[in-house]
Amino acid sequence: MPIKDSAKKYMRVTERKTARNKIVKGTFKGAIKKTREAVKAGNTDEAQKWLKSAIKFLDKAAQKKVLKKNTAARKKSRLNTLVKNSIGKVVAAVKKPAKKAAAKKTVTKKVAKKAVKKAPAKKAAAK
């Protein structure tokens, strides 16, 4: 046991914070578990419902600094992909090639701009 009053107070504060953190952790861990169980069982509607609540609880945990922001984002992302793969949506696969085509167009514009910039520099060096 601590001797100083400030150390005693710190122990009381730590006890309160630990209790609160356990409650917060229990909520998002339970929601994640229910989501995974629903995916295993093949209940897509229930999986989506639990996914929404898990995301909500993970955001709250990150807001209360129980979890780091990136850890919450990683857990949400992995859960989301798990649910999407269980549903079998092909929407994301269809959109990806369109983004790649748009990216190629911007690259060609950048290359063209660089070529235009380099050309006057060579003429100036030639004179």
Side-chain angles (χ1 to χ4, degrees), residues 67-113:
L67 275 181
K68 290 188 176 179
K69 195 167 51 170
N70 287 344
T71 305
R74 184 182 68 241
K75 286 181 183 285
K76 288 190 297 187
S77 175
R78 288 180 182 172
L79 263 183
N80 201 8
T81 54
L82 181 76
V83 172
K84 276 189 178 180
N85 290 341
S86 72
I87 293 172
K89 287 189 176 179
V90 190
V91 176
V94 173
K95 288 183 180 179
K96 285 184 180 178
K99 288 181 180 179
K100 287 181 181 177
K104 287 180 182 178
K105 288 180 182 178
T106 57
V107 170
T108 55
K109 288 179 182 178
K110 288 179 182 177
V111 172
K113 287 181 181 178

Side-chain angles (χ1 to χ4, degrees), residues 118-127:
K118 289 182 180 178
K122 289 180 182 178
K123 288 180 183 177
K127 289 181 183 178

Side-chain angles (χ1 to χ4, degrees), residues 6-22:
S6 61
K8 287 179 184 176
K9 180 184 175 189
Y10 182 72
M11 284 194 61
R12 288 194 307 268
V13 168
T14 304
E15 218 173 285
R16 282 196 305 264
K17 285 184 179 180
T18 304
R20 186 197 67 177
N21 290 348
K22 280 184 180 180

